[in-house]
Amino acid sequence: MSQPPNIYIIGAQCTGKTTLVKNLHAHFESNSSHEPPVLITEVARTVLKQHSFTAADVVNPDRSFQLQSLILQAQASAERQATQTGQWFISDRSGADPIAYALRYVEEGRANQLIQSDEWRELRTRMQDAAVVVCEASEEARSWLADDGVRLMPEDVDDWIAMHRVFCRFLQDQEIDFQVLPAWVGDHQERVEFVLQCWDCKKERGPRWVVTDF
């Protein structure tokens, strides 16, 4: 049996990524004919803790560049470990995440250093072969904005939506297929089904997804 495509659940903070990944993993453990996927989670939180960064560092250009570089390296390491053991995975972030945050909070030239890195070249290729779902930040989901004391909180809903758009534009620029999971799809099972449809499409090697409305 061929290895199924990996799944990336990505996007701005507070968009339900972690809950969705856990629900997807539960689905595959109980319903899939494939071996259950490995979960790649908490990469950024682990880096924050190990290297004594805080959420405030994300908006400090120098500290943010250091942080996003470490997150990019950690994501590459986690994915490499999974693939070297022949396992497929679901990840609640990707190599695109630290670059998206660098594009928003670090000067463009330094963000481009991450884009040109060996780590991103490796991760980009893997993402192009995967099902990539971006969880939407929108006015409809403003109630999801809850400070957990760790992650960076947006200034307001407009700031949150702007971060979402950075993700989408970067993925388009990098020629990575993706689908936006609308925020109005709030039911947990419906969100799982949305991702499974994207995943099935990727397995069937259907036409490139074209996303223009974000």
Side-chain angles (χ1 to χ4, degrees):
M1 183 178 296
S2 61
Q3 191 81 304
N6 300 317
I7 299 174
Y8 293 91
I9 305 298
I10 68 174
Q13 63 274 54
C14 303
T15 50
K17 299 186 298 293
T18 300
T19 299
L20 177 54
V21 165
K22 289 178 179 177
N23 290 337
L24 281 166
H25 190 252
H27 166 84
F28 283 114
E29 282 194 317
S30 60
N31 298 296
S32 179
S33 58
H34 298 283
E35 287 294 320
V38 171
L39 286 185
I40 298 178
T41 63
E42 307 296 342
V43 169
R45 287 173 184 260
T46 300
V47 171
L48 284 163
K49 183 176 180 180
Q50 288 180 343
H51 297 275
S52 300
F53 285 95
T54 67
D57 290 322
V58 176
V59 297
N60 178 303
D62 289 334
R63 291 285 286 170
S64 187
F65 180 74
Q66 296 173 31
L67 172 60
Q68 305 310 338
S69 297
L70 289 168
I71 292 173
L72 186 67
Q73 293 166 20
Q75 182 71 27
S77 178
E79 292 188 19
R80 201 176 297 128
Q81 183 177 350
T83 56
Q84 286 175 349
T85 56
Q87 297 170 294
W88 70 289
F89 61 78
I90 301 175
S91 181
D92 67 356
R93 66 174 37 244
S94 70
D97 294 55
I99 296 176
Y101 279 93
L103 287 168
R104 184 146 174 82
Y105 296 112
V106 181
E107 64 182 11
E108 184 177 352
R110 301 184 81 183
N112 284 336
Q113 291 180 37
L114 300 183
I115 295 171
Q116 295 165 9
S117 67
D118 291 339
E119 287 85 3
W120 174 241
R121 281 194 288 270
E122 173 188 345
L123 294 168
R124 177 177 179 264
T125 298
R126 198 172 289 125
M127 289 187 75
Q128 288 175 325
D129 293 333
V132 180
V133 174
V134 181
C135 295
E136 184 186 30
S138 76
E139 179 67 38
E140 293 170 301
R142 65 163 50 240
S143 63
W144 297 0
L145 288 171
D147 190 349
D148 63 1
V150 177
R151 61 184 150 201
L152 173 72
M153 292 301 296
E155 294 180 2
D156 52 30
V157 173
D158 289 341
D159 184 38
W160 192 38
I161 294 171
M163 189 70 243
H164 168 72
R165 289 174 175 161
V166 171
F167 268 92
C168 294
R169 291 193 181 104
F170 177 66
L171 293 172
Q172 284 193 326
D173 289 345
Q174 294 295 306
E175 300 182 338
I176 294 171
D177 293 338
F178 68 98
Q179 281 282 36
V180 173
L181 173 52
W184 57 261
V185 181
D187 179 80
H188 287 179
Q189 187 55 41
E190 289 181 1
R191 291 172 73 82
V192 167
E193 291 297 332
F194 181 96
V195 176
L196 293 177
Q197 290 176 14
C198 297
W199 186 66
D200 286 338
C201 178
K202 197 68 180 184
K203 282 196 297 181
E204 295 168 3
R205 299 184 181 276
R208 176 180 170 85
W209 296 324
V210 178
V211 181
T212 57
D213 184 12
F214 58 81

